[in-house]
Amino acid sequence: MGVASAAVAVGAAEAVAVLTGPRSAPLVAVGGAVVDLAPGPLKQFATDVFYVYDKIALLIGTAVLLGGFAALVGVVAVRSLRLGIAGIGGFAALGVVAALTRPGAGPAAALPSLVGAGLAAGLLWLLLAGPLRMPPIPPAASPDAVDPAGRRRFLTGVGLAVGAAAVSGFGGRWASTRRGISAAREAIRLPAPASPAALVPAGADLGVPGLSSYVTPNRDFYRIDTALVVPRVDPEGWRLRIFGRVRNPVTLSYADLLARPMIERHITLACVSNEVGGDLIGNARWLGVPLGPLLAEAGPLPGADQVVGRSADGWTCGSPTEVLTDGRDAMLAVGMNGEPLPIAHGFPVRVVVPGLYGYVSACKWLVELELTSFADFDAYWVPRGWSARGPIKTQSRIDTPRAGRTLPAGPVTVAGVAWAQHVGIRQVEVRVDDGDWQPAALAGSVSTDTWTQWSWRWLATPGEHTLRVRATDATGAVQTGQSRPVEPDGATGWHTVTVTVT
Ligand SMILES: Nc1nc2c(c(=O)[nH]1)N[C@H]1C(S)=C(S)[C@@H](COP(=O)(O)O)O[C@H]1N2
Ligand SMILES: [Mo]
């Protein structure tokens, strides 16, 4: 009875949340509050253990905990219906508080939890004291003495309630994700760029099997964010406020943004949580409005050394003002690989900055840019143990052969990618076991703001071998072999792959 009531609460709440916004649904609201309140190391642990599935793990964990407590509420309710209903009230309070304290939540955010709890309490009464209750068992009777019609009524009631909860819950979640902006996104016609992207040189893609493509298709592009449900921002009502320590605060609509001259650039985006050899990196062709001139119009005041991007769901990141205005192609991106930004990648507008990790620059679902100082404001990840500044570190990766592979002896193409963003790659070298570093061939790239493919021909001899790669940037700085973890400002070390040659 307890679990059935909880299912009804959660299921009904999902349906109400179709109207009040997906983040007001209690599971998502409580999960989101847990994400934001969890201490940095715990969050890192969760990401390490569950990788990019940490959100699903959190939702399942929340549901399992809820189920356990709900069963307890049921046990208590058998003794005292009043206490059981008080237990449901406690849950409702948790859901209401979590939903109301989510960034940008209005009073309506309380509704899903309240409606869900009301229905759950009603069901509990129906099953325990109302018309669906099990007929009382005479003290000395055997189990066979239970009135079969009464039992059937009770079980049918539970079954119908759980079934309706499932339909309403999954249907509600489905409707929430379908609602609204997909059509708006598909209707958008992006303007042609005033300054188009450089053509990708024919040699940029070496075409080696197993090597990541030079441009990452949107469907393969990694996704990292704290959003349990993707914010759905309607471009119609979207406004960007540029404010704080500026002479002229600026407000732009989506149409204002599209009316400005656009640039289109290939830029590689990397996550600070990318392990050495990891795949939290991708290269896309971004279309957007250059950020430098826009910031110049706002006129940063002296001391405004940080630009804080804020998203529709309240996430923040901070970039050095200096980096955004030094002439590099920092932009407010509206397009990705020839289409409007995918919703998961920040539709309608996000920031992309060559040379900065995503957590200090690449705000998705952007709604505000606030000029402030590093002394005055810590963005989302900073109090959680990550560095306030996050320039991307020079790295290289072996894509093929994969670790653990068994290969026949003879010529093998070793290939991968290397990046030294906004500086450029001068050289990539490969080392087999304890041998000398051998120069790899570099593929072409459109600019220093993207990764570069490389390849090296290896005459593999039988036995177990370790392949290492290192890059040298355009200034001559050699990628360090010292292994450091991703926290606080990005991993270092050489990507190492061990294979068996037969
Ligand atoms: N609103 C919002 N924007 C965000 C984040 C986030 O959690 N919320 N995560 C950032 C991080 S850590 C990275 S690495 C990039 C990833 O962008 P992608 O998901 O488009 O690859 O987005 C950045 N922008
Ligand atoms: Mo990231």
Side-chain angles (χ1 to χ4, degrees):
M1 287 184 282
V3 173
S5 304
V8 163
V10 169
E14 286 289 342
V16 178
V18 176
L19 304 173
T20 56
R23 278 181 300 135
S24 60
L27 268 193
V28 174
V30 172
V34 170
V35 170
D36 288 349
L37 295 175
L42 181 65
K43 228 185 269 200
Q44 185 57 40
F45 169 78
T47 331
D48 288 350
V49 173
F50 299 114
Y51 189 49
V52 290
Y53 302 108
D54 53 351
K55 288 179 192 128
I56 298 163
L58 175 67
L59 287 180
I60 291 175
T62 311
V64 167
L65 267 183
L66 177 66
F69 281 115
L72 208 68
V73 165
V75 170
V76 169
V78 171
R79 277 153 196 84
S80 156
L81 179 58
R82 211 170 285 198
L83 265 185
I85 288 181
I88 294 179
F91 272 120
L94 197 68
V96 166
V97 169
L100 288 178
T101 53
R102 303 278 71 220
L111 276 179
S113 296
L114 291 178
V115 171
L119 290 177
L123 179 67
L124 204 57
W125 173 80
L126 273 180
L127 294 174
L128 261 173
L132 295 181
R133 77 180 187 285
M134 281 268 229
I137 305 167
S142 68
D144 302 339
V146 173
D147 162 25
R151 179 158 67 182
R152 205 174 311 121
R153 204 167 49 230
F154 172 86
L155 289 177
T156 311
V158 170
L160 283 179
V162 171
V167 169
S168 151
F170 289 106
R173 183 58 71 87
W174 178 82
S176 287
T177 55
R178 287 290 311 166
R179 201 170 159 248
I181 59 165
S182 299
R185 178 175 173 277
E186 274 145 37
I188 287 170
R189 292 287 161 268
L190 292 175
S195 167
L199 279 182
V200 176
D205 259 306
L206 296 173
V208 176
L211 174 58
S212 320
S213 57
Y214 178 67
V215 176
T216 315
N218 289 355
R219 65 174 181 283
D220 298 337
F221 209 95
Y222 80 96
R223 176 189 161 200
I224 290 286
D225 51 63
T226 60
L228 281 179
V229 292
V230 175
R232 309 184 87 76
V233 181
D234 186 352
E236 192 58 43
W238 181 87
R239 295 287 181 280
L240 173 65
R241 279 206 317 141
I242 306 178
F243 69 107
R245 291 161 72 166
V246 292
R247 263 183 299 279
N248 316 302
V250 176
T251 301
L252 292 166
S253 68
Y254 192 67
D256 294 337
L257 204 62
L258 292 197
R260 295 177 70 99
M262 301 244 171
I263 58 173
E264 191 169 38
R265 298 287 183 266
H266 290 93
I267 297 169
T268 297
L269 186 65
C271 182
V272 69
S273 298
N274 196 29
E275 306 278 352
V276 172
D279 56 6
L280 300 181
I281 177 166
N283 184 37
R285 179 164 49 90
W286 307 94
L287 173 74
V289 170
L291 204 42
L294 208 51
L295 289 175
E297 282 170 37
L301 293 171
D305 63 359
Q306 181 177 221
V307 179
V308 171
R310 193 169 278 111
S311 70
D313 63 346
W315 184 83
T316 54
C317 64
S319 318
T321 310
E322 190 193 21
V323 169
L324 301 188
T325 52
D326 71 357
R328 73 182 74 196
D329 291 320
M331 66 166 98
L332 298 178
V334 296
M336 183 178 184
N337 289 329
E339 54 175 288
L341 274 185
I343 294 168
H345 292 290
F347 180 78
V349 181
R350 78 174 306 171
V351 180
V352 176
V353 182
L356 296 183
Y357 284 124
Y359 85 107
V360 290
S361 65
C363 189
K364 305 193 273 190
W365 316 291
L366 180 76
V367 293
E368 284 180 6
L369 287 174
E370 181 177 6
L371 275 288
T372 176
S373 70
F374 279 99
D376 283 347
F377 186 79
D378 281 339
Y380 188 89
W381 283 110
V382 178
R384 292 169 172 87
W386 297 78
S387 168
R389 317 254 174 174
I392 296 178
K393 293 178 178 172
T394 298
Q395 264 297 343
S396 47
R397 185 178 81 191
I398 300 170
D399 283 0
T400 179
R402 297 240 160 235
R405 280 295 152 84
T406 302
L407 320 160
V412 171
T413 303
V414 182
V417 284
W419 56 95
Q421 241 122 24
H422 207 57
V423 176
I425 291 287
R426 172 185 295 174
Q427 177 170 255
V428 171
E429 294 161 296
V430 180
R431 186 167 89 177
V432 182
D433 303 323
D434 295 322
D436 294 331
W437 286 102
Q438 308 282 339
L442 293 185
S445 65
V446 299
S447 77
T448 60
D449 290 341
T450 76
W451 60 14
T452 303
Q453 295 185 355
W454 57 265
S455 74
W456 180 69
R457 202 174 135 91
W458 175 36
L459 265 182
T461 53
E464 194 175 275
H465 294 291
T466 298
L467 301 165
R468 281 190 179 75
V469 65
R470 72 174 185 191
T472 303
D473 75 15
T475 70
V478 180
Q479 180 191 332
T480 175
Q482 191 185 14
S483 288
R484 285 177 182 283
V486 293
E487 200 173 346
D489 63 354
T492 65
W494 295 325
H495 188 209
T496 303
V497 162
T498 302
V499 293
T500 307
V501 179
T502 55

